[in-house]
Every structure is written in structure tokens, then in C-alpha cells.
């Protein structure tokens, strides 16, 4: 059986300047004709109305997901009129089959072909509604052929054998067999008669806002409200709470089951600092009782700042000469960085896949950022921090998962320290004098300064690249401590540090070509007990010649 891989789901259509405070990044697709507002309908499934992870295989195969519906609460006379499934954007355009059956491996009682839209949650409207009986026990499943992370699931940590079935390489298995706990993203849309109980259940889905806002600028926040109860709601009230400050807005639109309503709030200006806020939703009619209040509230954090500096990102690539996928991983990184190359300080550690002729000892220190006993390549780390909006919980992740939107979002974060490089190189002696200076805007500075000597254009062997492969951004030496040198700032927040280094003719097997060398300097926090507390605050790079 092929190895199951699971990574964070990437959603299209989200501005790179925004962050998501809910996993439900793409609201349900509203297909005309699914719902009849005069007939109660409800979503039935095990997952909540959000998800952020996807499963799949590394090579093309038949894959899918299924849930077992042990009881149909709607009773006789109700119908399954549609099925709602969660797929990643990589599934767009793939053909699949939806099935309803008595047993997972038996002949379907109902089947229908579909083409995936790749929009996150999407509805498949049944060509013929499936009539339910009171004693029905059914499996609802879908399959499609492809590769990569296609199958949406919710990582709840809850074991439930009725909701964790996936097909990988034509074999059905439970997620728990791969040490994964959670529910696959499948929900049935059931329309009932008068026996279907009326219910109300407001839910806050996608919340989008700027993580960093300069004081005095416009500050919009958008949020999606969905009614997952069976009855129509005649409007709702949104409340924005920031400490003692409150702001309310009434949504007068009718809210039938499953149809999202997106509303934009203009957040009030406030002084510089961190804003911890909450958004709540409630029905306009105070007498309405909801099925659950657990999904009626979202929280967020926003930094309001004044002065800041332009940010340069630190991209640390993990690669190896013996890694057959590393050339394509590097190609993806180059494509993603693209036009932002002047604001990305790129270095390559030849560790993670194993040491090779370009490995230097200092790079082994950074394997801890994998947060795992097993390491791999091609991999990448951005600013030595986890990309929480992708659902990635450790700093190092696959090079194929970095997207252009991630680079743009990271660049929007204001920098509160500047890093400037000045160099003097003496060709006769190969002596290099480096001066790094900058200014901190924050107080209580405890950050560290790290310097790397980096070289492009080293020609050597590369698996799947040949004997004349041109290696880029190879770290040749660390000119500071591996975790950086302590910085002392004056009363104005300014710092300056000098370094002297004689560039050798050769390091290891490869010549040091000064014409292709540059210095990377970055200021970062350091916490030996927490890999997610070593964030790079700002960086700079400059070619020696």
C-alpha cells in the first residue's frame, strides 16, 4: 500500500494580506435548486463545519472517503438531496463517483459521477433524491483518481470508526491505522417533511482581517455566518468586542440552512499595541433557542503599530545531493519566491536528507526545527516560525507546500528592527570586514545576530540533476555563533557589530568563488526550550562583489 501523506490544506481565494481565524476558509458553494426554503433541511455528518487538513498519496491512485450513518434521525419520508464534501484545491477538475450503499464494499444503492470544483467545501446535488427509511443504516462515500493531498478531514483527536474511513490505493482503511485521529469531511443534506424537527444553529465560519494594521488606516474585518439548523432564521446580530468597547451590526438577510452570508465590519481605530478581540453571533429574535452555542464565537489577535521597517524574509532550504526530489523542490521555491527575491535572504542547509560534500557542521543544529526524530528533504523553513494559517505546527515543512501567497503574507508583517549590511573586501588578502547595524523599535532587547557566508553556482553532483548540477545558496560558513551573538542596543535602540573573516580558497571539496558569494545577516529570538520561539525579526543579504 502506498504511503499516506497528510499536510495542511491550501485554500484559494484568500487574500495574502489576510489571516484566517477559522479552518472553514471556503464557505459552502450555494448551488441553486438544492434547497427549498419552504421545506426544512439539515446537514447530517460527524465533522464540524470546518477543516484545514488533507490526506492523499504521493503517486496517482484511486482514493476517497466514507462515513457510516448508523441512524437516520429524519425518519421515513425524508430524502438525501445532496452530499457536502471537503476537498483540497488540488482536486479541481478531477472526476469522481459518489455512492450510497448498505455496506462499503457492496454494490451501491445509488451512485453518481461528479467533477470536483476544488473550492474547499462543495455540494454534490443528487440527480434523484434518495428516499430514507426509519431503519436505514447507510454508507456515504466518494472516490476519485489523483495524487497529492486531496481528501479533506478534520483533525479532532477523536476516534470514531464510523467517520474515519479513507480509501488509499484502492483499499479502504481507518485513519487510526495510520495513527491519525479525526473525521473525514462528508455531510448529507437531508430534506424532510413535517416530521423533521425545526432547529436553529448559527455558526461563524471564515473571519478575515489584517494581522498587522498601522494606526489610522482603514481596518475592515469580514466574517461569514451560516445557519446549520433546519429552519430559516430571520436575521442575526454580530457583536465585535475589544475589551470594554463593543460594536454591533444587524444582518437582516434570511438565513436558510447551509447558505453563507458574508458581512464586513469596519473596526474602530485604537492606540498602538496588541488587540485581543472576539466576534459573537446571535439570532435577532432573542426567544430562538439554538442547538449549539459552541460555534457562535471566534477570537482574533491584531497588532496596531506606528513606525516600522521594511521586512526581508529568511528562507532556509533543507536539501541534499542524494535527494532525488530536491531539484524539483528547489524549482518550486524559486517559482514561489519569484519577483520577491530581493526581499528574501535564501540559504541552503545540506542536512535533513543526510550529510553530503556541502554539509557544514553548524547546519546540524537546525535539525531541531523539524520537531521530529525523522527528517526529510526537500524541506523549507520561513523566518524560523510555523505558518499557523496553513495548519503547520512546526517551523520545517515540505518545500512543495510553500505558496506565493505565503511569501506575500509573511512580507506584510511589519518589522520592528532594521538590519543593514556594509562590507569591505580586500582581494589580495581575501580579507572581508563586515559591519552590521540596525535599530530596535521595541524595548527589552534580548535578540541575537547571526551571519552566514553563502555561495551560489557551486557545480557538483545532484541525484536527479546530474554531475554538473548548479547548487545555489549553499552555506559555506557561519561567522557568528550558531544561534547568534548577543546584541547590545543603546538608549535609542541602535546597535552595531563588526566581523572579520578571511575567505579561504577552498572549503571542503569546493572552491570559494567570491564573485558568487554573499552575506546573510538576521536578527532572531532564541529559546532553547521552544522551537516556535526562535522567530527571525528581520534579515538582510548583500553580495560581496
Amino acid at each position: 500500500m502506498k504511503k499516506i501523506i497528510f499536510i495542511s490544506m491550501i485554500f484559494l481565494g484568500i487574500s495574502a494580506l489576510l489571516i484566517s481565524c477559522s479552518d472553514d476558509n471556503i464557505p459552502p458553494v450555494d448551488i441553486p435548486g438544492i434547497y427549498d426554503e419552504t421545506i426544512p433541511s439539515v446537514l447530517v455528518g460527524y465533522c464540524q463545519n470546518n477543516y484545514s487538513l488533507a490526506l492523499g498519496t504521493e503517486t496517482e491512485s484511486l482514493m476517497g472517503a466514507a462515513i457510516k450513518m448508523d441512524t437516520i434521525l429524519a425518519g421515513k419520508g425524508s430524502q438525501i438531496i445532496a452530499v457536502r464534501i471537503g476537498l483540497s484545491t488540488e482536486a479541481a477538475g478531477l472526476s469522481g463517483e459518489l455512492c450510497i450503499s448498505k455496506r462499503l464494499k457492496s454494490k451501491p444503492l445509488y451512485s453518481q459521477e461528479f467533477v470536483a470544483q476544488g473550492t474547499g467545501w462543495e455540494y454534490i446535488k443528487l440527480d434523484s433524491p434518495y428516499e430514507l427509511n426509519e431503519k436505514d443504516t447507510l454508507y456515504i462515500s466518494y472516490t476519485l483518481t489523483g495524487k497529492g493531498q486531496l481528501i479533506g478531514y478534520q483533525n479532532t483527536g477523536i476516534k470514531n470508526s464510523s467517520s474515519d474511513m479513507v480509501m488509499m490505493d484502492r483499499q479502504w482503511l481507518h485513519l487510526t491505522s495510520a495513527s491519525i485521529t479525526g473525521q473525514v469531511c462528508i455531510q448529507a443534506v437531508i430534506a424532510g417533511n413535517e416530521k423533521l424537527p425545526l432547529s436553529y444553529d448559527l455558526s461563524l465560519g471564515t473571519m478575515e482581517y489584517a494581522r498587522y494594521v498601522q494606526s489610522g488606516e482603514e481596518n475592515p474585518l469580514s466574517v461569514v455566518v451560516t445557519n446549520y439548523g433546519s429552519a430559516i432564521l430571520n436575521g442575526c446580530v454580530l457583536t465585535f468586542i475589544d475589551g470594554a468597547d463593543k460594536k454591533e451590526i444587524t444582518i437582516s438577510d434570511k438565513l436558510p440552512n447551509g447558505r453563507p452570508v458574508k458581512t464586513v465590519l469596519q473596526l474602530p481605530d485604537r492606540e498602538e499595541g496588541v488587540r485581543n478581540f472576539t466576534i459573537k453571533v446571535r439570532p435577532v429574535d432573542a426567544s430562538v433557542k439554538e442547538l449549539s452555542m459552541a460555534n457562535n464565537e471566534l477570537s482574533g489577535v491584531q497588532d496596531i503599530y506606528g513606525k516600522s521597517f521594511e521586512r526581508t524574509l529568511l528562507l532556509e532550504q533543507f536539501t541534499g545531493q542524494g535527494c532525488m526530489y530536491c531539484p524539483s523542490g528547489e524549482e518550486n521555491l524559486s517559482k514561489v519566491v519569484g519577483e520577491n527575491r530581493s526581499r528574501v535572504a535564501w540559504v541552503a542547509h545540506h542536512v535533513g536528507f543526510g550529510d553530503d560534500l556541502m554539509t557544514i557542521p553548524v547546519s546540524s543544529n537546525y535539525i531541531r526545527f523539524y520537531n521530529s526524530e525523522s527528517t526529510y528533504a526537500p524541506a523549507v523553513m520561513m523566518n524560523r516560525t510555523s505558518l499557523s494559517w496553513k495548519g503547520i505546527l512546526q517551523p520545517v515543512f515540505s518545500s512543495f507546500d510553500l505558496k506565493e501567497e505565503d511569501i506575500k503574507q509573511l512580507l506584510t508583517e511589519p518589522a520592528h528592527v532594521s538590519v543593514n549590511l556594509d562590507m569591505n573586501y580586500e582581494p589580495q588578502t581575501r580579507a572581508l570586514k563586515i559591519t552590521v547595524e540596525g535599530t530596535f523599535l521595541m524595548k527589552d532587547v534580548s535578540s541575537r545576530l547571526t551571519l552566514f557566508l553563502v555561495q551560489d553556482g557551486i557545480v557538483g553532483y545532484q541525484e536527479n540533476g546530474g554531475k554538473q548540477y548548479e547548487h545555489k545558496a549553499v552555506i559555506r560558513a557561519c561567522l557568528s555563533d550558531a544561534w547568534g551573538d548577543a546584541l547590545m542596543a543603546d538608549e535609542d535602540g541602535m546597535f552595531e557589530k563588526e566581523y572579520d573573516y578571511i575567505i579561504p580558497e577552498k572549503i571542503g571539496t569546493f572552491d570559494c568563488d567570491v564573485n558568487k558569494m554573499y552575506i546573510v545577516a538576521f536578527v532572531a529570538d532564541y529559546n532553547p526550550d521552544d522551537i516556535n520561539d526562535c522567530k527571525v525579526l528581520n534579515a538582510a543579504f548583500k553580495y560581496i562583489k
Side-chain angles (χ1 to χ4, degrees), residues 299-314:
S299 297
V301 179
Q302 189 174 62
D303 279 359
I304 312 295
Y305 66 91
K307 183 180 178 182
S308 66
F309 299 108
E310 184 175 83
R311 176 173 292 279
T312 294
L313 305 178
L314 177 67

Side-chain angles (χ1 to χ4, degrees), residues 123-139:
Y123 284 118
I124 303 171
K125 182 183 178 183
L126 270 59
D127 295 333
S128 301
Y130 183 82
E131 297 285 343
L132 296 173
N133 294 309
E134 288 182 301
K135 296 182 180 180
D136 271 346
T137 297
L138 299 172
Y139 286 85

Side-chain angles (χ1 to χ4, degrees), residues 52-285:
S52 62
L53 301 175
L55 299 159
T57 57
E58 295 173 327
T59 55
E60 187 167 293
S61 66
L62 184 68
M63 64 181 81
I67 62 171
K68 179 184 178 184
M69 301 177 65
D70 296 300
T71 0
I72 302 298
L73 298 177
K76 187 176 182 180
S78 298
Q79 300 174 326
I80 300 178
I81 60 172
V83 175
R84 187 173 179 244
I85 64 175
L87 295 171
S88 78
T89 55
E90 296 181 34
L94 296 179
S95 297
E97 183 180 23
L98 173 73
C99 294
I100 300 173
S101 56
K102 278 286 188 182
R103 291 181 295 277
L104 194 55
K105 299 178 182 180
S106 64
K107 183 178 179 181
L109 301 171
Y110 179 92
S111 65
Q112 178 178 317
E113 295 181 350
F114 68 93
V115 176
Q117 303 302 307
T119 53
W121 281 110
E122 55 188 86
Y123 284 118
I124 303 171
K125 182 183 178 183
L126 270 59
D127 295 333
S128 301
Y130 183 82
E131 297 285 343
L132 296 173
N133 294 309
E134 288 182 301
K135 296 182 180 180
D136 271 346
T137 297
L138 299 172
Y139 286 85
I140 298 178
S141 64
Y142 69 86
T143 55
L144 68 173
T145 300
K147 65 178 180 178
Q149 295 73 42
L150 309 179
I151 311 301
Y153 85 103
Q154 183 186 36
N155 187 12
T156 61
I158 300 172
K159 295 182 180 180
N160 187 338
S161 60
S162 294
S163 62
D164 73 340
M165 290 167 280
V166 293
M167 174 183 280
M168 295 293 161
D169 194 23
R170 298 182 177 273
Q171 297 184 44
W172 285 106
L173 54 91
H174 291 281
L175 291 177
T176 50
S177 66
S179 300
I180 303 170
T181 53
Q183 281 71 54
V184 296
C185 296
I186 300 177
Q187 296 173 328
V189 182
I190 298 177
N193 49 33
E194 67 279 359
K195 294 182 179 180
L196 185 66
L198 295 178
S199 61
Y200 305 90
D201 186 14
L202 282 172
S203 175
L204 289 176
T206 307
M207 182 167 68
E208 297 177 344
Y209 63 96
R211 177 66 174 83
Y212 302 92
V213 175
Q214 190 162 14
S215 181
E217 288 186 344
E218 287 193 357
N219 191 2
L221 176 147
S222 68
V223 65
V224 173
V225 182
T226 307
N227 173 26
Y228 289 107
S230 62
I232 299 169
L233 268 172
N234 292 314
C236 64
V237 178
L238 283 171
T239 305
F240 171 81
I241 304 170
D242 177 12
D245 297 329
K246 289 186 179 182
K247 183 175 182 178
E248 287 193 346
I249 183 171
T250 299
I251 301 174
S252 57
D253 304 41
K254 285 188 175 183
L255 296 168
N257 172 271
R259 292 190 184 176
V261 175
K262 185 174 183 178
T263 300
V264 178
L265 302 172
Q266 193 62 236
L267 302 187
D269 196 17
R270 56 164 288 177
E271 70 278 2
E272 295 179 26
V274 178
R275 162 188 271 163
N276 294 283
F277 66 88
T278 303
I279 295 284
K280 295 183 178 181
V281 65
R282 60 176 172 82
V284 171
D285 185 351

